Amino acid sequence: MSIRDWPDTERPREKLRARGSASLSDAELLAVFIGSGRRGTNAVDVGRTLLASAGGLKPLLLAPQRKSGLGPVTWCRVQAALEIGRRFLDSELREGEALTDPDASARYLKSRLTSYPYEVFACLFLDNRHRVIAFEELFRGTIDGASVHPREVVRHCLAHNAAAVIFAHNHPSGVAEPSAADRAITLRLRDALALVDIRVLDHFVIGTGAPTSLARRGWI
């Protein structure tokens, strides 16, 4: 059945306008980007097929265009929307007042690191009022690890004149459980930075679900 034949309240665009984007399913959100279906198939069903083929929304959105099943125009629209979301979160942190909400920083760091197929270690540099000075990806590794060098971290902190930092790294496996090595490097960095009066506020491990905070576990 064509989407035009659906009740107004169930059509993706009308549903979005009336009830907000959060009310749409993954397939319905894709249908908004796809625009029109294929012969004998509406846009929502096309979205469902693409999701099933890719194994979910995240792998579909992160796939290169040639493997995604999306047309080049739709793929570009989706990638542009993802980047707009990242930049919105970036501006929210940069333009806001003191960073006092750990969940806000966790959401931002997840948006920046979750898409990498290899491990990335990053840092939010903060001033003495905990306002964001800069975000940097400091080290890149492989699918199961990245080498982190405290000396380089200290150098970057001093270059930004940071008073405090929040670290984050992703686990490409999707499992956000900190390893013994994660805990060990966090303590090494904490001790190294303490020598130059820079505080480590947190270290987030990014996976497929909610980021894990080492500070909340009492490991910093």
Side-chain angles (χ1 to χ4, degrees), residues 121-204:
F121 185 92
C123 181
L124 274 174
F125 301 94
L126 311 174
D127 67 13
N128 58 5
R129 292 179 59 187
H130 295 175
R131 294 174 301 191
V132 177
I133 299 170
F135 168 84
E136 282 190 21
E137 296 174 5
L138 299 180
F139 307 102
R140 293 189 176 193
T142 64
I143 194 170
D144 58 1
S147 297
V148 177
H149 305 285
R151 184 175 180 176
E152 282 298 300
V153 175
V154 172
R155 184 174 69 81
H156 281 268
C157 289
L158 293 175
H160 286 293
N161 196 29
V165 292
I166 296 174
F167 296 123
H169 75 281
N170 64 313
H171 282 178
S173 66
V175 179
E177 183 63 26
S179 66
D182 294 337
R183 296 176 63 181
I185 192 61
T186 302
L187 295 178
R188 285 185 63 196
L189 291 170
R190 181 200 65 184
D191 294 344
L193 290 170
L195 296 175
V196 288
D197 295 323
I198 298 172
R199 287 170 294 125
V200 176
L201 301 183
D202 211 335
H203 183 172
F204 289 100

Side-chain angles (χ1 to χ4, degrees), residues 45-150:
D45 286 338
V46 170
R48 291 186 182 121
T49 300
L50 290 169
L51 289 166
S53 177
L57 186 60
K58 180 180 176 180
L60 173 62
L61 299 184
L62 298 182
Q65 191 267 317
R66 66 183 182 279
K67 293 184 179 180
S68 67
L70 298 169
V73 174
T74 301
W75 185 83
C76 287
R77 287 174 179 164
V78 169
Q79 297 307 308
L82 290 173
E83 184 59 27
I84 286 171
R86 294 187 196 101
R87 295 187 188 189
F88 172 78
L89 289 172
D90 186 57
S91 66
E92 190 176 37
L93 282 187
R94 291 179 184 275
E95 296 171 7
E97 297 182 357
L99 184 59
T100 58
D101 181 6
D103 292 333
S105 53
R107 287 193 299 270
Y108 171 75
L109 292 164
K110 182 180 173 75
S111 75
R112 295 297 298 258
L113 300 179
T114 191
S115 63
Y116 289 117
Y118 46 82
E119 195 163 299
V120 176
F121 185 92
C123 181
L124 274 174
F125 301 94
L126 311 174
D127 67 13
N128 58 5
R129 292 179 59 187
H130 295 175
R131 294 174 301 191
V132 177
I133 299 170
F135 168 84
E136 282 190 21
E137 296 174 5
L138 299 180
F139 307 102
R140 293 189 176 193
T142 64
I143 194 170
D144 58 1
S147 297
V148 177
H149 305 285

